[in-house]
Amino acid sequence: MTEYQHRFIHSLTEVTEAQWDCVSPSHVFTSYAWLLALELSGCTSKETGWIPHHLMIERQGELIAILPGYIKSHSYGEYIFDWAFAEAYERHGLDYYPKWLCGVPFTPTQGPRILTKRLSSCLLEYIDATLTSLAQLGISGVHINFCRESDFLTQSHLTMRRNVQFHWHNQGYAEFDDFLARLTSRKRKMVMKERQAVTAQGINISWTVGREISTAQLDAFFLSYQLTYLKRSRHHGYLSRDFFQQVITSMPDKLLLCCAYLNHEIIATSLYLVDGDTLYGRYWGAIEDSYDFLHFELCYYQGIEYAIANQLAVFDAGAQGEHKLVRGFEPVWRQSYHRLFQPDFQHALEDFTKREADALGHYFTECQAKLPFKHQ
């Protein structure tokens, strides 16, 4: 392990985009542009409880691996819920925060977390030891959320925690009707009824690629985003208008805005991103909430149509939502990895994740039984 050295940086501006891209596997949410926009817009900062603390690993002076990370003073915006552990620490007079999190802020999407061209057992061993050393900084533990590297991380001192999401998979459909034909008669009629209801309300829907998103469209999107967060979570959302403007400018080919119009006025929006063979549905919002089935149309059916038309393999519409099952989204496993430095709590975490995994296994099976496809 002596061939490796590491350092932590507190801003992406301490490395260049070329350095980052040379190390990082291409993925929209761990791209330099996405993470830098979060930082420059103030969405990840000491004030928001997301202090950048990225792990950089070098060999012979060459940057070979990056773990995008943050020191957290709370658990908001992570989508891997650990409030019970924070409360347990508090009951025992201990501090759960700060903790160190490797992941993408406000984004429950699985992807690369150990950014490197080649992940070896030797490199993983060094990363494991480096993360353990964070205990010296008063960090309660380390967490790697929604990561792809499960084959390697099972060899680490981290404990796996699983959760379930619902994704749509393209079975080589040529058009939306091909997808409908695969559904049972009852569910096919339900989808058709919901889509027809949107049209009957006089609503028109259009897609705009990132570079063509106008100021008026961005204003309408951001308003609908804030209003929807305010209604559901009693705050205006984690992301600022400046963040969205920056990513539209810096990565325009990745973004798509789906807008619903009534009498030429935008009444609802949904922001999508495309990366490789996957469509990501990220932020939905409605300026008015009184239209039947509009959420399903903008967040699910429009995305499915787009994926089919552009031959994308997967549509990831975000976290949670069992109502996705009857609309053709299938359960998939997601993985995160955790280690608490307090031994008693680490043992409790290991026991908890085992019991949770058993319950989730039954839940996964139940979800599969609810899928709407013929001849399952």
Side-chain angles (χ1 to χ4, degrees):
M1 290 194 296
T2 55
E3 64 178 314
Y4 300 112
Q5 302 83 40
H6 73 272
R7 60 191 171 101
F8 286 93
I9 64 170
H10 309 293
S11 170
L12 262 72
T13 58
E14 296 181 42
V15 296
T16 66
E17 185 168 7
Q19 287 176 300
W20 188 281
D21 290 345
C22 185
V23 172
S24 172
S26 177
H27 192 270
V28 62
F29 296 116
T30 51
S31 67
Y32 188 89
W34 183 268
L35 296 177
L36 183 64
L38 286 170
E39 183 181 322
L40 295 181
S41 62
C43 297
T44 51
S45 65
K46 182 178 180 179
E47 290 70 28
T48 63
W50 288 83
I51 302 175
H53 199 70
H54 309 301
L55 173 58
M56 321 296 284
I57 298 175
E58 299 173 340
R59 182 173 55 199
Q60 299 178 345
E62 178 187 1
L63 183 62
I64 62 163
I66 301 170
L67 276 71
Y70 301 85
I71 293 177
K72 293 294 305 296
S73 58
H74 54 69
S75 293
Y76 293 106
E78 298 175 17
Y79 301 93
I80 299 293
F81 303 107
D82 60 357
W83 297 108
F85 276 87
E87 292 168 0
Y89 267 67
E90 185 177 2
R91 287 197 301 270
H92 287 79
L94 300 172
D95 292 325
Y96 188 67
Y97 307 107
K99 63 180 183 178
W100 185 81
L101 169 71
C102 173
V104 180
F106 324 117
T107 306
T109 297
Q110 190 150 299
R113 296 295 179 261
I114 303 176
L115 311 182
T116 184
K117 291 182 177 178
R118 183 176 180 271
L119 180 56
S120 65
S121 296
C122 186
L123 176 58
L124 178 63
E125 184 180 352
Y126 182 81
I127 291 170
D128 209 11
T130 302
L131 295 181
T132 300
S133 71
L134 285 171
Q136 300 170 9
L137 301 179
I139 304 294
S140 70
V142 297
H143 311 265
I144 305 179
N145 285 1
F146 296 106
C147 52
R148 282 183 180 170
E149 299 85 358
S150 58
D151 289 346
F152 277 90
L153 288 172
T154 51
Q155 307 169 31
S156 72
H157 290 95
L158 299 166
T159 298
M160 183 176 73
R161 187 178 181 190
R162 307 181 85 183
N163 70 350
V164 178
Q165 291 185 349
F166 305 98
H167 295 180
W168 181 87
H169 299 275
N170 193 342
Q171 302 298 328
Y173 307 120
E175 56 187 8
F176 193 86
D177 284 347
D178 294 339
F179 163 64
L180 286 179
R182 194 166 167 245
L183 304 181
T184 63
S185 175
R186 181 182 177 187
K187 294 300 187 282
R188 181 169 61 252
K189 290 177 180 178
M190 179 200 75
V191 172
M192 293 172 64
K193 179 181 178 181
E194 290 177 351
R195 302 204 75 185
Q196 289 165 359
V198 172
T199 302
Q201 294 169 90
I203 297 170
N204 296 308
I205 296 171
S206 68
W207 288 75
T208 305
V209 297
R211 68 173 63 84
E212 297 175 3
I213 295 173
S214 67
T215 299
Q217 287 176 316
L218 178 57
D219 287 341
F221 161 73
F222 189 62
L223 174 60
S224 63
Y225 163 80
Q226 287 195 308
L227 289 173
T228 301
Y229 256 98
L230 186 62
K231 179 179 179 180
R232 295 179 179 176
S233 306
R234 298 184 180 180
H235 63 86
H236 285 100
Y238 298 112
L239 302 172
S240 65
R241 187 189 184 283
D242 183 36
F243 166 77
F244 291 113
Q245 181 62 73
Q246 286 194 47
V247 292
I248 287 171
T249 302
S250 62
M251 44 200 311
D253 295 335
K254 300 291 187 181
L255 273 71
L256 300 158
L257 185 63
C258 185
C259 294
Y261 291 84
L262 183 64
N263 299 324
H264 306 291
E265 297 290 334
I266 296 175
I267 58 171
T269 63
S270 190
L271 185 70
Y272 291 83
L273 291 96
V274 178
D275 190 72
D277 65 356
T278 303
L279 177 68
Y280 297 96
R282 291 306 309 125
Y283 302 104
W284 141 269
I287 296 174
E288 294 185 35
D289 233 0
S290 57
Y291 301 99
D292 295 334
F293 307 116
L294 187 54
H295 173 263
F296 298 145
E297 180 65 31
L298 253 63
C299 294
Y300 306 141
Y301 304 140
Q302 286 290 319
I304 290 172
E305 274 200 330
Y306 184 93
I308 293 171
N310 291 275
Q311 298 181 330
L312 299 176
V314 179
F315 173 23
D316 172 352
Q320 304 171 333
E322 289 184 20
H323 54 276
K324 297 173 186 171
L325 284 168
V326 296
R327 295 170 176 85
F329 288 77
E330 303 176 48
V332 296
W333 288 111
R334 307 285 87 173
Q335 297 83 224
S336 298
Y337 288 81
H338 312 268
R339 183 180 180 188
L340 301 177
F341 296 135
Q342 175 62 241
D344 290 342
F345 281 94
Q346 175 61 23
H347 294 322
L349 171 65
E350 292 168 359
D351 179 67
F352 171 78
T353 54
K354 288 178 183 177
R355 290 184 284 109
E356 184 183 50
D358 290 340
L360 282 173
H362 294 296
Y363 173 69
F364 193 93
T365 301
E366 291 173 359
C367 288
Q368 288 179 312
K370 295 177 182 178
L371 290 173
F373 305 119
K374 296 183 290 188
H375 311 301
Q376 289 185 49

